[in-house]
Amino acid sequence: MRAEAPKVDAWREEVAGYYDEKTERILRRYGPGPRVHYHAGLVDAVPPPGSPEDVVRAQVHGAQESLLAELARAVGRFPDGGEVLDVGCGLGGGALYWAAEHRARVTAVTNVPSHVELVRGFAETAGLGARVRPLLCDALAVPGRACFDAVVAVESACYLPRADWFRRVRALLKPRGVVAIADCFLGRPEAAVPFDRYWRTRIGSMAEYLSAAHAAGLELEVRDDVSARVVGFWSLTLELLAHERAHLGGPYPSRGASFAGRESSREHLRLQQALMDGGLEYALLVLRRVG
């Protein structure tokens, strides 16, 4: 365990650096805010290609908020007015959503130092400064005990050691509190390497998650496979990437920008294909603390 610790710490620093470096691109693509989301969304009808950029942006944002609304519905009775922990909060879009739509008091955890003030600023702009508290902290080191009604992890659990994290989550939850997860899960082993390489994750199978959750004292209530509804989101992002490329230098984009755009498009297509052929599953999980 001691020998592995430096490797784990270095990897966590790499992930934090990765998201710090991506901040401006996230803001350009999914901003301007204050509710900035950096995660997939739910799309039931893909619009025809060639839509204006502002229309595509609005559709992307609406799809991302639809995912959060569906996650709340999966919980059943989301703890309106309760204490919510948003793990891996990104730029705070989800935290602001729970605070605005469910009157929650949200502790928004990030491991990216530069994101703390961004989240705080967005919360103030939205008039939610009193309800959203950004916290620079590792997800395994969130302080407290039996203090949250819900723990929400939208595309962040794939970065965490599941057994350790679920044990910590159970300790943080009030009796009968819930964990609500939206994430990609591994369907076939060969999908793991390209997914982890590009997104800097440690993706796991559904069986691995459920085994770790059960061992920690968390009981499965809902497993909702929404892969088919997420496929269309990646069509929207590909359309958005096409608009971005058009802005990056007209007919003569820089070599770096051109490569980054091609890589991003390739990985979005790869993810979309894996969701269609079962290599990956995008699912909503609701787990409840036992006892």
Side-chain angles (χ1 to χ4, degrees):
M1 181 65 70
R2 286 194 299 271
E4 287 296 318
K7 294 181 182 179
V8 172
D9 291 343
W11 180 73
R12 288 173 179 167
E13 289 178 10
E14 177 189 343
V15 171
Y18 169 74
Y19 280 104
D20 183 50
E21 187 272 332
K22 287 176 71 75
T23 301
E24 289 304 318
R25 277 178 286 163
I26 293 170
L27 286 169
R28 284 197 302 270
R29 185 173 299 167
Y30 300 110
R35 275 164 41 175
V36 181
H37 305 292
Y38 183 58
H39 56 73
L42 300 182
V43 175
D44 294 311
V46 179
S51 298
E53 183 176 359
D54 59 339
V55 172
V56 178
R57 287 183 177 278
Q59 291 168 332
V60 165
H61 187 266
Q64 291 170 316
E65 298 230 324
S66 292
L67 177 74
L68 301 182
E70 192 68 22
L71 187 58
R73 281 194 289 271
V75 170
R77 295 185 61 184
F78 195 87
D80 286 16
E83 297 289 342
V84 172
L85 176 66
D86 185 355
V87 176
C89 68
L91 298 184
L96 271 62
Y97 180 90
W98 308 120
E101 306 299 327
H102 293 277
R103 307 187 315 280
R105 293 178 295 277
V106 186
T107 299
V109 171
T110 177
N111 66 340
V112 184
S114 64
H115 288 183
V116 173
E117 288 306 316
L118 284 169
V119 174
R120 184 175 287 116
F122 284 140
E124 293 291 344
T125 298
L128 297 167
R131 287 188 172 273
V132 176
R133 179 175 72 100
L135 176 65
L136 181 64
C137 185
D138 187 279
L140 300 182
V142 176
R145 189 169 187 84
C147 52
F148 292 104
D149 298 288
V151 173
V152 179
V154 178
E155 296 181 13
S156 58
C158 53
Y159 291 92
L160 303 172
R162 259 71 70 177
D164 292 342
W165 181 61
F166 280 138
R167 283 193 294 268
R168 184 68 200 128
V169 162
R170 189 190 184 284
L172 289 167
L173 284 172
K174 296 177 183 178
R176 303 299 295 166
V178 296
V179 190
I181 296 171
D183 220 321
C184 265
F185 301 87
L186 190 63
R188 291 198 307 273
E190 64 269 21
V193 171
F195 187 91
D196 285 346
R197 182 177 58 238
Y198 183 73
W199 302 101
R200 305 295 200 278
T201 59
R202 292 182 174 176
I203 193 171
S205 67
M206 182 65 71
E208 181 229 313
Y209 272 76
L210 296 182
S211 175
H214 179 75
L218 299 168
E219 182 179 79
L220 177 66
E221 287 198 342
V222 176
R223 172 186 174 179
D224 188 3
D225 184 345
V226 293
S227 302
R229 300 178 67 193
V230 173
V231 165
F233 179 78
W234 298 104
S235 295
L236 287 179
T237 64
L238 287 164
E239 191 81 7
L240 198 52
L241 284 168
H243 284 292
E244 288 180 6
R245 286 195 297 274
H247 292 309
L248 279 176
Y252 305 108
S254 71
R255 181 175 299 177
S258 179
F259 173 77
R262 289 197 305 271
E263 182 186 30
S264 188
S265 295
R266 183 190 68 230
E267 294 304 327
H268 284 212
L269 281 168
R270 190 201 300 271
L271 177 51
Q272 186 180 51
Q273 182 61 43
L275 290 169
M276 290 190 290
D277 66 21
L280 297 172
E281 174 187 352
Y282 198 103
L284 311 179
L285 290 184
V286 178
L287 307 158
R288 192 171 298 275
R289 174 180 160 172
V290 179

